[in-house]
């Protein structure tokens, strides 16, 4: 529809619902007074003189203005008087509103009951309980003013919420399933959100940012109240082709990860003058273990005869893809290393029975039971949503009605029965999908996932208090001070030494940084737990080592660093960082004056000065070359 040139602004009504009432009390009586109106979501373009800014607005317009007095501000809600508008006759039959002039005979009529507020100013939305009469919504603004409850006598509350989700990010609160936390999608809100979270305070170089948690969800952790821009920058690589709304759901409110580094136990500011690192050795990767070599480690009864040698070979070269289905079962603790072929067959039958017993527990929950089991409902809802968008561009999961998605769903639901305390954590689907692709078997993939989460302790990353993630961030900070002191100082100058841009890497072990083939190669090396404790932290350092020159040369600021790290996804050479990380370990293990905190982080504290070198030589390729003019030790 063409808009006359003399109009100031065109606004589009993207949602409208009649039969929306405000309930209030008339004077001192107990009689409920209803004020009927309609609610609509209006998208305003241009510079509206009445509303000051463009954007999406929730508006409630009364059909009739009652004669009663409004409640005083000390009541349980506050009525906000705003300026409403009249619809232009030219748009009477269209979802287009033409704002009239702000003065003169055609000035809009004011209503003391009408409401209009921007979605960007909304802090939370509370929904009514189900099956409790008319549904209602309560909007609370960022200044903590609660708007009047809007009662939907003719329905439509869910439809409004779904429409709102197109313009802002809604995250369910971990403490109240009816409360949604609103995160704006505008990049201008970035600095405001930082200020609210006090991320960039005067001592921010000694703080790890306030991450957000959803234990369902005590889920993947991340940032909420930090804008969608930052969420995308930290958790959604632009080239992964995954839906944007997925990453908002992965990061609901979590207050527990703000860390004052200097106040934390285990943190120390390291004096570089006391450290003399040797030159960093150059490491060559070995060829992957093939079936012939694998069989050479197996005796006639099917036992692995030399576990240490097998682990060293997998660390040094990985596995050929055809061997993963068998070898991963050992690496992920499904099969004991010393088990015979006959014992593994018996174990398989036992584990299959155990799995289907747990699966039956959630499969046989009736609809009536589920209505009274909020935790199961919530976990089921999140799993359903995650499964539908997990690695859908990979051939194994692509297409509609894919049976592999059903298997993925069943495994994750069954894990909720296996681990009631942890349940499902958003992001587990990321950890499961490569395992299921390799195993191609529901039972085996389930028990391998259990081994990954439980025996290899990745589940600690999702702990409600996030103590494990705090510890890892502090350890990475300490390592970087010693290994890359110049770059660490640069990050400090850019308010980035908290290193929270590495959070995603550590949380799900680089799953979203590499292609499916590369993450399989990286994971099987990491699962050997060689050559030291916390090898994944050295992988983080190795990635940063490869990017430090460009960041320093271009003098990237805080936002540039976030953007640059985000854009590394699917561009990192997996062999390169494996070689660098192992070289960093060798460099540290050969240092005589290594600080005790570093020795503890990489597991040298209890082995003595010489043991580290011996262990390293066993894990590394015999062709390691120490370069005299290699990566120089930091001065």
């Amino acid at each position: 529809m063409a808009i006359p040139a003399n109009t100031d602004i065109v606004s589009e009504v993207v949602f409208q619902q009649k039969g929306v009432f405000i309930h209030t009390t008339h004077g001192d009586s107990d009689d409920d007074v209803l004020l009927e109106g309609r609610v609509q979501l209006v998208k305003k373009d241009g510079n509206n003189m009445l509303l000051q800014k463009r954007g999406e607005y929730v508006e409630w317009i009364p059909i009739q203005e009652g004669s009663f007095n409004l409640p005083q501000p000390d009541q349980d809600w506050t009525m906000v008087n705003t300026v409403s508008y009249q619809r232009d006759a030219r748009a009477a039959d269209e979802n287009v509103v033409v704002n009239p002039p702000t003065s003169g005979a055609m000035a809009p009529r004011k209503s003391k009951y009408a409401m209009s507020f921007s979605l960007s100013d909304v802090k939370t939305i509370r929904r009514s309980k189900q099956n409790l009469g008319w549904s209602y919504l309560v909007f609370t603004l960022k200044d903590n003013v609660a708007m009047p409850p809007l009662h939907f006598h003719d329905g439509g509350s869910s439809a409004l919420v779904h429409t709102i989700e197109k313009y802002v990010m809604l995250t369910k609160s971990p403490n109240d399933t009816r409360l949604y936390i609103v995160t704006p999608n505008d990049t201008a809100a970035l600095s405001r959100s930082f200020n609210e979270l006090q991320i960039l305070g005067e001592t921010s170089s000694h703080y790890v940012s306030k991450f957000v948690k959803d234990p369902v969800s005590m889920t993947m952790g991340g940032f909420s109240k930090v804008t969608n821009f930052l969420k995308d920058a930290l958790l959604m690589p632009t080239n992964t082709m995954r839906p944007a709304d997925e990453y908002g759901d992965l990061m609901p409110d979590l207050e527990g990860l703000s860390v004052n580094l200097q106040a934390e136990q285990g943190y120390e500011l390291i004096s570089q003058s006391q450290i003399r690192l040797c030159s960093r050795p150059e490491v060559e990767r070995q060829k992957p273990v093939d079936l012939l070599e694998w069989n050479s480690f197996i005796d006639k009864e099917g036992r692995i005869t030399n576990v240490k040698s097998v682990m060293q070979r997998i660390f040094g070269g990985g596995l050929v893809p055809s061997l993963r289905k068998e070898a991963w079962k050992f690496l992920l603790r499904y099969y004991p290393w010393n088990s015979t072929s006959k014992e593994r067959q018996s174990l398989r039958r036992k584990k299959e029975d155990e799995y289907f017993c747990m699966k039956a527990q959630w499969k046989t929950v009736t609809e009536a039971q589920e209505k009274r089991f909020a935790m199961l409902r919530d976990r089921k809802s999140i799993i359903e949503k995650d499964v539908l968008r997990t690695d859908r561009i990979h051939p194994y999961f692509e297409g509609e009605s894919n049976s592999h998605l059903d298997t993925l769903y069943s495994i994750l639901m069954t894990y909720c029965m296996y681990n009631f305390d942890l349940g499902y954590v958003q992001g587990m689907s990321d950890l499961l999908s490569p395992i299921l692709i390799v195993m191609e078997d529901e039972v085996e993939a389930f028990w391998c996932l259990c081994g990954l989460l439980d025996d290899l302790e990745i589940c600690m990353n999702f702990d409600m208090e996030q103590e494990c993630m705090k510890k890892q961030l502090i350890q990475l900070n300490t390592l970087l001070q010693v290994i890359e002191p110049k770059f660490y100082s640069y990050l400090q100058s850019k308010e980035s030494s908290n290193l929270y841009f590495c959070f995603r890497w550590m949380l799900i072990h680089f799953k979203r940084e590499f292609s499916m083939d590369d993450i399989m190669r990286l994971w099987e090396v990491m699962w050997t737990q060689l050559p030291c404790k916390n090898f994944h932290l050295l992988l983080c350092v190795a990635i940063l080592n490869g990017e430090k020159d460009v960041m320093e040369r271009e003098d990237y600021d805080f936002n540039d660093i976030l953007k640059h790290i985000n854009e590394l996804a699917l561009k990192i050479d997996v062999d390169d960082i494996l070689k660098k990380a192992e070289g960093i370990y060798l460099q540290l293990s050969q240092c005589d004056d290594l600080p005790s905190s570093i020795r503890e982080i990489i597991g040298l504290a209890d082995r003595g000065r010489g043991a580290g070198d011996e262990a390293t030589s066993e894990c590394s390729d015999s062709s390691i070359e120490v370069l005299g003019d290699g990566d120089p030790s930091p001065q």
Side-chain angles (χ1 to χ4, degrees):
M1 174 180 175
I3 303 300
N6 62 348
T7 58
D8 295 331
I9 178 174
V10 175
S11 298
E12 179 185 3
V13 177
V14 295
F15 176 88
Q16 187 174 96
Q17 177 65 48
K18 297 179 180 179
V20 181
F21 288 74
I22 286 178
H23 292 223
T24 187
T25 301
H26 186 191
D28 295 329
S29 73
D30 293 331
D31 295 333
D32 192 23
V33 177
L34 305 181
L35 189 61
E36 183 179 1
R38 72 176 186 272
V39 68
Q40 55 193 28
L41 186 63
V42 182
K43 185 176 182 182
K44 298 180 181 291
D45 298 318
N47 295 317
N48 187 341
M49 296 299 294
L50 295 176
L51 295 172
Q52 307 295 314
K53 58 183 178 180
R54 67 175 62 188
E56 295 74 38
Y57 287 78
V58 177
E59 299 183 340
W60 182 84
I61 303 170
I63 294 177
Q64 249 184 357
E65 295 187 9
S67 58
F68 55 86
N69 295 324
L70 288 176
Q72 297 302 312
D74 59 354
Q75 300 294 319
D76 59 354
W77 53 269
T78 301
M79 177 67 79
V80 176
N81 298 329
T82 62
V83 178
S84 64
Y85 55 80
Q86 296 173 316
R87 294 197 61 184
D88 189 285
R90 293 163 298 187
D93 296 323
E94 303 287 343
N95 284 334
V96 175
V97 176
V98 180
N99 281 348
T102 60
S103 62
M106 294 187 62
R109 174 178 59 86
K110 293 184 178 181
S111 168
K112 64 180 179 180
Y113 300 123
M115 292 186 295
S116 178
F117 51 88
S118 172
L119 283 183
S120 64
D121 293 329
V122 177
K123 180 179 180 181
T124 62
I125 303 174
R126 178 179 293 279
R127 303 184 68 171
S128 57
K129 291 182 179 179
Q130 295 181 350
N131 303 322
L132 289 181
W134 293 309
S135 61
Y136 66 80
L137 296 176
V138 179
F139 293 82
T140 301
L141 306 184
K142 290 181 178 178
D143 57 4
N144 293 321
V145 171
M147 307 304 290
L150 300 177
H151 292 255
F152 291 73
H153 288 204
D154 295 336
S157 62
S158 294
L160 175 57
V161 171
H162 290 318
T163 305
I164 287 174
E165 283 187 295
K166 297 178 181 179
Y167 304 102
V168 294
M169 190 170 296
L170 300 183
T171 302
K172 186 180 292 186
S173 167
N175 302 317
D176 187 343
T177 58
R178 296 188 293 126
L179 185 67
Y180 292 87
I181 297 158
V182 180
T183 304
N185 286 338
D186 63 300
T187 56
L190 179 63
S191 56
R192 293 199 303 272
S193 300
F194 278 142
N195 290 334
E196 290 172 8
L197 292 176
Q198 297 180 339
I199 292 176
L200 297 181
E202 60 183 1
T203 58
S204 62
S205 62
H206 303 303
Y207 280 80
V208 176
S209 67
K210 290 187 178 179
F211 294 99
V212 279
K213 187 180 198 176
D214 178 354
V216 159
S217 287
M218 301 312 176
T219 57
M220 264 196 75
F223 310 88
S224 137
K225 297 186 184 175
V226 179
T227 63
N228 190 44
F229 167 79
L230 181 56
K231 291 182 180 182
D232 288 347
L234 297 180
L235 289 186
M236 188 179 70
T238 55
N239 49 359
T240 59
M241 297 177 62
R242 301 181 65 142
D245 63 340
E246 173 181 359
Y247 296 87
D249 289 338
L250 292 179
M251 306 169 4
D253 268 344
L254 157 54
E255 300 277 333
L257 200 52
S258 178
V259 182
N260 184 328
L261 294 177
Q262 291 185 335
E264 285 291 325
Q265 182 177 3
Y267 175 80
E268 62 176 308
L269 190 62
I270 297 174
S271 172
Q272 295 302 316
S273 62
Q274 301 174 357
I275 303 171
R276 293 290 185 271
L277 289 182
C278 303
S279 296
R280 186 172 302 166
E282 184 174 287
V283 176
E284 292 300 324
R285 298 288 295 161
Q286 304 172 43
K287 66 178 183 179
V289 178
D290 58 19
L291 181 60
L292 181 64
E293 184 178 3
W294 175 263
N295 287 335
S296 70
F297 292 108
I298 301 175
D299 67 15
K300 62 181 181 179
E301 294 184 325
R303 296 185 185 89
I304 304 296
T305 56
N306 192 333
V307 177
K308 185 176 180 181
S309 296
V310 172
M311 297 286 261
Q312 290 168 354
R313 278 291 292 116
I314 295 174
F315 171 77
L319 300 159
V320 295
S322 60
L323 191 55
R324 286 178 179 143
K325 183 176 175 63
E326 179 70 12
W328 279 21
K329 296 172 191 175
F330 292 92
L331 290 170
L332 293 173
R333 314 303 200 262
Y334 177 37
Y335 288 161
W337 287 97
N338 62 349
S339 61
T340 65
S341 299
K342 185 176 181 180
E343 289 170 341
R344 291 195 290 273
Q345 290 177 2
S346 176
L347 176 65
R348 176 63 168 78
R349 291 191 294 268
K350 178 182 176 181
K351 290 294 188 180
E352 187 175 66
D353 291 342
E354 189 175 349
Y355 173 78
F356 284 109
C357 180
M358 290 185 291
K359 183 176 179 179
Q361 292 176 355
W362 64 267
K363 292 284 284 186
T364 56
V365 172
T366 66
E367 184 176 344
Q369 286 177 307
E370 189 173 314
K371 288 181 179 179
R372 297 167 177 82
F373 197 169
M375 182 175 291
L376 180 63
R377 285 199 313 272
D378 289 343
R379 290 174 174 175
K380 181 179 179 181
S381 174
I382 297 171
I383 291 171
E384 288 173 347
K385 184 163 58 176
D386 277 6
V387 164
L388 290 176
R389 57 200 180 190
T390 297
D391 291 319
R392 295 304 303 277
I393 62 173
H394 191 277
Y396 193 80
F397 294 110
E398 68 182 359
E400 300 299 324
S401 303
N402 189 316
S403 62
H404 299 144
L405 298 179
D406 296 332
T407 304
L408 198 70
Y409 174 82
S410 294
I411 293 172
L412 295 173
M413 283 295 296
T414 305
Y415 188 81
C416 293
M417 301 295 105
Y418 170 79
N419 190 336
F420 286 100
D421 289 337
L422 181 60
Y424 176 74
V425 176
Q426 287 181 299
M428 283 184 182
S429 60
D430 275 294
L431 300 176
L432 173 59
S433 62
I435 296 174
L436 181 57
I437 290 171
V438 168
M439 294 297 143
E440 297 186 294
D441 181 274
E442 183 174 340
V443 174
E444 292 177 346
F446 171 81
W447 288 112
C448 286
L449 175 67
C450 293
L452 175 63
L453 292 172
D454 300 342
D455 294 337
L456 297 182
E457 298 184 343
I458 289 184
C459 65
M460 298 298 291
N461 287 358
F462 308 112
D463 175 69
M464 181 183 300
E465 302 301 324
Q466 293 288 289
E467 291 300 325
C468 182
M469 292 305 298
K470 289 180 186 178
K471 182 178 180 181
Q472 290 177 73
L473 285 164
I474 292 170
Q475 289 174 332
L476 181 58
N477 183 287
T478 305
L479 286 169
L480 206 61
Q481 288 185 57
V482 171
I483 301 168
E484 301 287 353
K486 180 176 177 290
F487 181 58
Y488 181 80
S489 297
Y490 166 77
L491 291 177
Q492 280 187 311
S493 71
K494 303 301 181 182
E495 300 288 354
S496 297
S497 63
N498 43 40
L499 304 176
Y500 58 76
F501 47 78
C502 299
F503 185 81
R504 178 180 73 196
W505 300 351
M506 296 184 291
L507 190 71
I508 52 174
H509 280 201
F510 309 97
K511 166 59 168 60
R512 295 180 183 170
E513 316 313 315
F514 295 93
S515 67
M516 188 65 73
D517 290 339
D518 283 351
I519 199 61
M520 290 177 180
R521 295 169 61 196
L522 181 64
W523 276 2
E524 60 199 15
V525 169
M526 295 172 65
W527 292 341
T528 66
Q529 298 182 295
L530 296 174
C532 61
K533 286 171 51 179
N534 294 311
F535 184 62
H536 68 291
L537 298 182
L538 299 186
L539 290 169
C540 293
V541 176
I543 296 174
L544 294 175
N545 171 267
E547 304 304 319
K548 65 178 182 178
D549 289 342
V550 65
M551 285 190 274
E552 292 181 8
R553 182 176 64 251
E554 301 297 330
D555 195 27
Y556 283 171
D557 62 15
F558 176 83
N559 289 337
D560 293 330
I561 292 172
L562 289 179
K563 183 175 183 292
H564 182 75
I565 294 297
N566 173 53
E567 292 176 348
L568 291 178
L570 305 183
K571 298 177 182 177
I572 307 171
D573 187 316
V574 67
D575 286 324
D576 181 60
I577 68 158
L578 282 170
K579 289 188 288 187
K580 281 185 178 179
E582 185 177 356
I584 291 169
Y585 171 73
L586 292 169
Q587 184 182 30
L588 294 175
S589 64
Q590 294 166 4
C591 180
D592 291 334
D593 54 3
L594 200 65
S596 59
S597 58
I598 300 294
R599 300 186 69 84
E600 173 61 28
I601 290 170
I602 62 176
L604 295 178
D606 298 326
R607 290 196 275 171
R609 303 276 174 165
D613 297 339
E614 181 180 353
T616 302
S617 64
E618 294 177 350
C619 299
S620 306
D621 185 71
S622 58
S623 62
I624 290 177
E625 178 184 0
V626 180
L627 301 181
D629 57 351
D631 195 343
S633 60
Q635 298 299 322

